[in-house]
Amino acid sequence: MENTVTAISQTPFTATVLGLPRVGPRRELKRATESYWAGRIDADQLHETGRALRRDQYAELRAAGLDSVPVGTFSYYDQMLDTAVLLGALPPRVADIADPLDRYFAAARGTDSVEPLEMTKWFDTNYHYLVPEIGPETTFTLHPEDVLAQLREAIELGVPARPVIIGPITFLKLSKSTGPAALDRADELIPLYRELLGLLAEAGAPWVQIDEPALVTDLTAGELAAVRQVYTELTAPANRPAVLVATYFGHPGPALDALAGTDIEGLAVDLVAGGTVEELAAVPALANKTLVAGVVDGRNVWRTDLDQALSTLATLLGSAKTVVPSTSCSLLHVPYTLAAEAHLDEALRSWLAFGAEKVAEVGLLATGLSAGTEVIAAELDRARAAAASRRADPRIRNPQVRARLAALGPDAGERGPAARRRALQQERLQLPPLPTTTIGSYPQTSAIRLARAALRKGEIDRPEYERRMRAEITEVIALQEKLELDVLVHGEPERNDMVQYFAEQLDGFAATELGWVQSYGTRCVRPPILFGDVSRPAPMTVDWIEFAQSLTDKPVKGMLTGPVTILAWSFVRDDQPLADSARQVALAIRDETVDLQNAGIRIVQVDEPALRELLPLRRTDQQAYLDWSVGAFRLSTSGVSDSVQIHTHLCYSEFGEVIDAIAGLDADVTSIEAARSHMEVLDDLNAAGFAAGVGPGVYDIHSPRVPGAEEITAALRAALKAVPAERLWVNPDCGLKTRGPAEVEASLRNMVTAARTVR
Ligand code: GLN
Ligand code: ZN
């Protein structure tokens, strides 16, 4: 194709970030949105909250010297849902909800009569997006009003706005297609995107950022051809802004050539996640493009090594027309600002950079690049001093932990033969066939929440709090005895969160006060920060489990979170491989299992719901990950004798690439989600050679519906077609903490009845 884009004016810019968080520094948007749902405020008030948050952010970015500001990464719920609205791709079941905002929230959260869109993980982050549904009935139409409104608003505020939209390849690849392969529909989207680009140019946008994170995953030759075609066609018209295609969360690999060969004016790459500078230098077509260099980590919390970032930027200078320092991805994934943290110690604080600090770093790098490093000498010195203090801090390296790990032999993760374990455990536990159990948590009642809040506010003391938690445990044990479950749990009342609870008790982790990060919609999490070598100053769960066990003769399961999940839901160190951090956490969990064993506990469950989440995006990286993650789990569970039964729980049923790893965990019993997939997963497990105990969830705890005993009986009979009775366990899909006490009791009663019937 002939080059027709020489007329596109490319207003140069020198510093930017790829996107912004949106829940508000104090979760203002969460509060406003939930108030809107509850009918306490109206749509105008909700929009005013959004406007105020955007205005403040834009002002901060301008103050830090950013001369191109992403606009439109704000969202009332999720950017993929926004894109579905933009492209007229909401499912027909919400179409007759007249009010656009209510229709939007219905697609996001469902209503009494409408199922919401499914939700799933955004690449390998902890953010969840809504999965657009594209079927034969989907007719794409452009609805640019919201995108244009945010652009106009920013321009009126004097902001050098760069609208951000999700690109057609990523949108289609991440959607659920009930018709032909999703990318086959790219042709239908091209005219819509072209029209949108024309509108953005008319509204005064010199640049548009088109996000294509899907380009860092493995693409087929056909998909790469689609990338080339889409961006060739999008850049063909002359009435459009300059196009910046943003890739992040990994290296674009072969997509780099595909993109560079088109007439896009700019390319953003993630230089933190493993993009190599040499590969960029080897793409001659970059020479006439703007390279937005993601040298500041957008998804972890560490202060940037400014010297190294400057040297990377300098190396790239020859490869592109312009090199612009930026974050590696949107700042959606980090907390707003360190300024809000009053209780972090000074040393630790000096090692960190949250959103606002990263924006400042980008500004500094731009200044250093254009005006020379002398101009930012003081800041460079401060960054060097912080890095030196981090390296020298005694909390970073714990020689005892390192020595213990080094001394572990190659068989440290091995237990005795599975058959021998099974025999020993059965002799000790004397369980009936098809034993019944639950996954760990019982409803987090308002009494529990009130006690936790009262403790935090200092209204009650620690002994009173513990007394109340023991009262909850006593009730939960009594309930399980009444229902005649076979293997009991203590119900986890003392746990705010299954990772935070452990991080608070382990050395090497720090907690933040306001380090909120959006998980999905209005749900935010405060991930702990893993900053140093991990050790366990004291047992973390033994008192609670021992107390629960003292109330009953039936076995009570010890309940722990596994090393991979603890890492997956934390901000992790960037100064050593994740595999090393995993072994340290595993060692602490291993010590806990041994203490539980010594307290007479006969079954210990180590949950790994995040095992699949951390799976690398590229197939070539996956096996190494599975090796170390499975190794860490085994290290954490192999310290106990063969007569202690190890359970694990995984929160999903589509195992895909991790199926072999499930067997590799070598747990005695594995509980999984299966109710929604009708037990099909059991055949997959069999095919992968899995031969241990398995508890396929017999009912779905994600809904308040109470399953009938006949329904659970049928589920068990279906499971027995794939798994012999000696290996089958009976349990719900997941923990019960989000359910009401009445539903839980009724559901479990039916579950026990069903198990009896089938026995
Ligand atoms: N033991 C945890 C619970 O029951 C497991 C939660 C999970 O799988 N995410 O709540
Ligand atoms: Zn679960």
Side-chain angles (χ1 to χ4, degrees):
M1 172 176 290
E2 208 185 321
N3 188 341
T4 52
V5 295
T6 42
I8 304 300
S9 79
Q10 292 183 47
T11 317
F13 60 98
T14 62
T16 194
V17 295
L18 292 190
L20 301 171
R22 51 216 183 194
V23 288
R26 300 195 167 249
R27 292 183 297 160
E28 292 86 344
L29 190 62
K30 169 195 175 70
R31 295 223 180 79
T33 308
E34 288 174 354
S35 298
Y36 175 74
W37 292 341
R40 289 193 298 270
I41 66 169
D42 62 19
D44 287 344
Q45 289 167 290
L46 176 60
H47 290 313
E48 185 43 45
T49 303
R51 247 193 310 278
L53 288 170
R54 293 191 296 267
R55 199 176 42 221
D56 292 352
Q57 271 182 325
Y58 295 152
E60 280 172 28
L61 264 58
R62 294 292 284 142
L66 270 54
D67 53 1
S68 179
V69 168
V71 165
T73 61
F74 176 86
S75 174
Y76 284 109
Y77 205 96
D78 166 57
Q79 66 268 18
M80 281 291 281
L81 179 60
D82 296 352
T83 312
V85 172
L86 171 71
L87 300 174
L90 284 184
R93 62 181 180 278
V94 299
D96 47 353
I97 300 174
D99 178 74
L101 193 57
D102 291 340
R103 191 187 318 135
Y104 177 83
F105 285 133
R109 319 163 58 222
T111 66
D112 289 343
S113 52
V114 168
E115 288 270 310
L117 296 180
E118 272 176 37
M119 205 164 57
T120 195
K121 288 260 169 175
W122 179 242
F123 299 89
D124 56 354
T125 72
N126 282 328
Y127 178 78
H128 302 71
Y129 72 93
L130 289 161
V131 184
E133 295 167 14
I134 298 175
E137 75 293 343
T138 312
T139 323
F140 295 114
T141 48
L142 188 67
H143 300 266
E145 301 76 23
D146 291 341
V147 177
L148 290 170
Q150 281 196 50
L151 172 60
R152 290 198 196 100
E153 171 195 75
I155 291 175
E156 273 166 34
L157 290 167
V159 172
R162 184 180 78 241
V164 180
I165 52 176
I166 291 182
I169 304 287
T170 297
F171 178 74
L172 291 174
K173 268 206 70 112
L174 268 53
S175 294
K176 191 164 107 179
S177 169
T178 50
L183 273 195
D184 289 354
R185 306 201 56 176
D187 283 343
E188 294 166 53
L189 289 182
I190 290 169
L192 274 59
Y193 274 84
R194 279 188 172 192
E195 186 184 341
L196 177 63
L197 296 192
L199 293 168
L200 294 174
E202 273 163 36
W207 282 88
V208 60
Q209 173 181 325
I210 307 186
D211 278 5
E212 288 286 18
L215 302 193
V216 309
T217 63
D218 293 326
L219 300 182
T220 62
E223 290 171 330
L224 286 168
V227 171
R228 202 170 292 120
Q229 186 215 341
V230 163
Y231 285 94
T232 302
E233 295 197 24
L234 288 190
T235 49
N239 66 324
R240 60 173 180 85
V243 170
L244 168 69
V245 176
T247 64
Y248 43 86
F249 301 145
H251 191 277
L256 188 61
D257 275 319
L259 281 173
T262 71
D263 287 333
I264 63 169
E265 284 76 14
L267 183 66
V269 290
D270 182 336
L271 294 167
V272 176
T276 66
V277 176
E278 296 73 38
E279 278 172 80
L280 288 168
V283 181
L286 273 184
N288 64 355
K289 301 196 193 302
T290 295
L291 182 66
V292 173
V295 288
V296 170
D297 194 344
R299 55 186 286 195
N300 207 340
V301 290
W302 303 104
R303 187 176 196 147
T304 304
D305 179 338
L306 295 176
D307 290 310
Q308 201 199 313
L310 281 167
S311 112
T312 303
L313 293 166
T315 315
L316 289 168
L317 280 177
S319 321
K321 189 168 93 181
T322 326
V323 175
V324 180
S326 172
T327 51
S328 59
C329 61
S330 169
L331 293 171
L332 180 65
H333 310 286
V334 290
Y336 269 74
T337 175
L338 266 178
E341 301 298 326
H343 297 297
L344 289 175
D345 70 78
E346 273 316 305
L348 178 54
R349 170 194 293 275
S350 77
W351 311 338
L352 300 173
F354 291 178
E357 293 77 27
K358 287 172 190 293
V359 168
E361 287 178 336
V362 168
L364 275 177
L365 289 169
T367 306
L369 208 58
S370 62
T373 51
E374 332 63 77
V375 184
I376 57 164
E379 287 87 352
L380 288 177
D381 278 342
R382 262 199 296 279
R384 286 175 200 135
S389 122
R390 185 173 168 200
R391 276 191 302 271
D393 196 283
R395 292 171 296 176
I396 299 299
R397 291 181 70 86
N398 178 332
Q400 258 165 307
V401 171
R402 288 177 182 251
R404 279 189 68 199
L405 282 169
L408 288 174
D411 56 354
E414 297 293 325
R415 303 189 71 202
R420 182 184 126 86
R421 282 166 12 212
R422 192 171 329 130
L424 284 173
Q425 292 162 12
Q426 182 50 20
E427 188 186 305
R428 190 168 176 217
L429 293 167
Q430 297 291 327
L431 294 170
L434 309 191
T436 52
T437 190
T438 53
I439 303 303
S441 56
Y442 271 70
Q444 287 263 330
T445 58
S446 51
I448 298 175
R449 278 187 240 275
L450 286 174
R452 196 145 34 239
L455 177 69
R456 202 169 45 235
K457 291 188 211 135
E459 292 162 10
I460 58 171
D461 60 9
R462 188 83 209 170
E464 170 61 14
Y465 172 76
E466 292 185 358
R467 195 192 60 72
R468 293 191 193 180
M469 292 303 119
R470 278 197 299 274
E472 290 289 333
I473 293 173
T474 308
E475 269 183 45
V476 166
I477 295 286
L479 172 67
Q480 296 171 86
E481 295 233 283
K482 180 174 92 181
L483 292 170
E484 300 188 19
L485 285 147
D486 299 309
V487 171
L488 313 194
V489 296
H490 78 297
E492 305 178 25
E494 79 289 8
R495 301 188 190 176
N496 37 10
D497 171 278
M498 63 186 286
V499 167
Q500 201 181 328
Y501 178 78
F502 290 96
E504 279 170 5
Q505 301 186 67
L506 289 169
D507 283 349
F509 282 93
T512 65
E513 279 164 88
L514 285 168
W516 296 103
V517 176
Q518 186 178 21
S519 171
Y520 62 88
T522 60
R523 184 168 155 78
C524 302
V525 293
R526 248 176 338 150
I529 299 172
L530 170 59
F531 66 90
D533 282 357
V534 175
S535 63
R536 189 193 66 140
M540 303 179 283
T541 65
V542 178
D543 285 349
W544 299 115
I545 307 295
E546 215 176 1
F547 172 71
Q549 183 65 82
S550 75
L551 303 171
T552 177
D553 293 331
K554 296 204 166 149
V556 174
K557 287 194 268 193
M559 194 57 61
L560 304 173
T561 302
V564 182
T565 299
I566 289 181
L567 292 185
W569 297 349
S570 300
F571 289 115
V572 292
R573 310 173 59 157
D574 62 350
D575 58 350
Q576 71 180 17
L578 205 47
D580 294 358
S581 300
R583 278 170 63 79
Q584 295 182 353
V585 178
L587 193 61
I589 300 296
R590 179 182 174 100
D591 291 346
E592 188 77 10
T593 62
V594 173
D595 284 343
L596 286 166
Q597 159 181 279
N598 295 343
I601 300 303
R602 289 163 279 174
I603 305 183
V604 179
Q605 178 171 313
V606 179
D607 291 327
E608 280 292 20
L611 183 69
R612 194 188 56 180
E613 289 173 14
L614 276 192
L615 190 73
L617 299 174
R618 294 273 187 198
R619 261 186 298 273
T620 48
D621 303 328
Q622 291 177 353
Q623 194 54 50
Y625 161 74
L626 289 172
D627 290 346
W628 70 250
S629 59
V630 168
F633 178 88
R634 291 175 66 131
L635 182 59
S636 72
T637 51
S638 55
V640 292
S641 80
D642 286 348
S643 64
V644 172
Q645 191 168 67
I646 294 290
H647 289 215
T648 189
H649 169 68
L650 308 165
C651 253
Y652 39 88
S653 64
E654 281 154 31
F655 294 119
E657 288 88 350
V658 304
I659 190 122
D660 294 327
I662 311 288
L665 295 175
D666 197 28
D668 299 304
V669 180
T670 302
S671 62
I672 50 174
E673 185 180 299
R676 283 185 290 186
S677 67
H678 306 289
M679 304 285 158
E680 282 155 18
V681 54
L682 295 175
D683 294 324
D684 299 344
L685 275 175
N686 284 342
F690 184 88
V694 61
V698 291
Y699 77 87
D700 178 11
I701 62 92
H702 303 88
S703 124
R705 199 176 72 86
V706 173
E710 312 69 43
E711 184 182 329
I712 300 180
T713 305
L716 282 174
R717 295 225 158 94
L720 278 170
K721 294 210 179 90
V723 176
E726 319 77 83
R727 290 209 281 121
L728 188 63
W729 282 67
V730 182
N731 49 256
D733 251 355
C734 193
L736 302 168
K737 63 172 162 250
T738 57
R739 299 269 63 94
E743 295 151 44
V744 163
E745 179 165 349
S747 302
L748 292 179
R749 178 169 295 117
N750 291 343
M751 187 182 88
V752 172
T753 304
R756 289 222 177 93
T757 308
V758 179
R759 276 173 200 161

